[in-house]
Amino acid sequence: MNKDVQADPTVVSIYEPFKQKMEAEMSRVIGHADKALTKEKTPETLMGNFFCEALLWMSAHYAHNTADLAFATKGGIRNDLKAGDITVGHIFEVMPFENTLTIIELKGSQIRQLADYIATTHGQPIAGMTLTITGNKVQDIKIKGLPIDDNKLYKLVTYDYLANGGDNLVLLTQSVSRTNYPQRMREGLIAYVSELTKAGKQVNADLDGRIKIN
């Protein structure tokens, strides 16, 4: 098939209303960013920080119990958000997969293993936790501003792909408990951006030193 093949008017008449409806929804503006949120190959990124803060919000909004920390991977976040209007379509570009919200409980000692993974992969998106890394080794870990306790249980919010061991994260399959939610990541992101807009806020993020590499 090529451009010389003429469209069948009967077939077009069937799908055109659905196509127009989909295009209208994808173009719907849900928020505004005053600066680009990018995901360059650095230990901490604006897009990663935004995404994980959104995950913490989702844990409170959908699970009604804010997680202690959030974790994602750079590869799982598929696109930047440009400065200016943010549409539903832009969120689909950020998270085009069918990944759904997941909250797991891990002991502090398991969080240390996760921190080692973050160190050896030169930084990954996190929220609620700060790391100091020297030579691919974690020197300091704090969760919600406090030193990590190896025997304490912490709630981590992420998405099912990672909780299932994706991206070589087998350690997340060994959680003490796990709760799955039906909300897709893009649905949560759309709700989060819409909530910011409703509150009169811009879509924004800052580099705050949550991952420091010496």
Side-chain angles (χ1 to χ4, degrees):
M1 296 181 65
N2 55 45
K3 64 182 180 180
D4 296 325
V5 177
Q6 297 299 311
D8 186 328
T10 303
V11 175
V12 172
S13 68
I14 293 173
Y15 73 71
E16 187 64 26
F18 299 99
K19 179 173 178 287
Q20 292 177 359
K21 184 177 180 180
M22 183 186 70
E23 289 177 346
E25 175 62 11
M26 290 296 109
S27 300
R28 181 167 62 90
V29 176
I30 57 174
H32 190 275
D34 58 4
K35 63 183 177 184
L37 302 183
T38 55
K39 57 184 227 65
E40 49 281 270
K41 294 180 180 179
T42 54
E44 181 186 353
T45 70
L46 292 173
M47 190 64 208
N49 287 3
F50 164 78
F51 189 90
C52 283
E53 294 299 335
L55 278 173
L56 288 179
W57 179 88
M58 289 180 219
S59 72
H61 185 72
Y62 295 119
H64 308 292
N65 189 0
T66 305
D68 298 300
L69 65 158
F71 171 74
T73 58
K74 294 175 182 176
I77 303 173
R78 304 303 288 185
N79 210 352
D80 300 332
L81 284 175
K82 296 180 181 179
D85 287 341
I86 296 173
T87 66
V88 171
H90 291 143
I91 300 300
F92 267 74
E93 292 172 359
V94 169
M95 181 56 71
F97 312 114
E98 297 298 299
N99 299 145
T100 54
L101 185 70
T102 304
I103 295 179
I104 61 177
E105 282 189 306
L106 297 171
K107 292 180 64 175
S109 56
Q110 293 173 300
I111 298 292
R112 285 189 185 276
Q113 295 177 51
L114 179 61
D116 288 338
Y117 172 90
I118 294 169
T120 57
T121 55
H122 310 293
Q124 298 291 348
I126 57 173
M129 175 167 67
T130 58
L131 302 176
T132 300
I133 300 168
T134 302
N136 289 343
K137 298 290 184 180
V138 179
Q139 302 299 322
D140 183 61
I141 307 171
K142 287 186 172 63
I143 298 177
K144 298 171 75 172
L146 299 175
I148 192 170
D149 181 340
D150 284 354
N151 296 310
K152 182 178 178 178
L153 287 180
Y154 295 95
K155 289 185 178 179
L156 180 149
V157 59
T158 186
Y159 42 92
D160 60 340
Y161 172 75
L162 297 182
N164 291 338
D167 285 356
N168 299 313
L169 284 157
V170 177
L171 70 97
L172 297 187
T173 68
Q174 302 165 350
S175 60
V176 176
S177 70
R178 172 174 172 169
T179 306
N180 301 313
Y181 297 87
Q183 287 77 24
R184 294 180 179 85
M185 285 298 95
R186 59 174 173 268
E187 294 170 347
L189 288 171
I190 290 168
Y192 178 59
V193 172
S194 298
E195 191 68 19
L196 289 175
T197 302
K198 183 179 178 181
K201 299 178 181 179
Q202 299 277 316
V203 175
N204 198 9
D206 294 303
L207 300 179
D208 53 22
R210 61 189 68 184
I211 297 180
K212 296 179 181 179
I213 296 186
N214 297 325

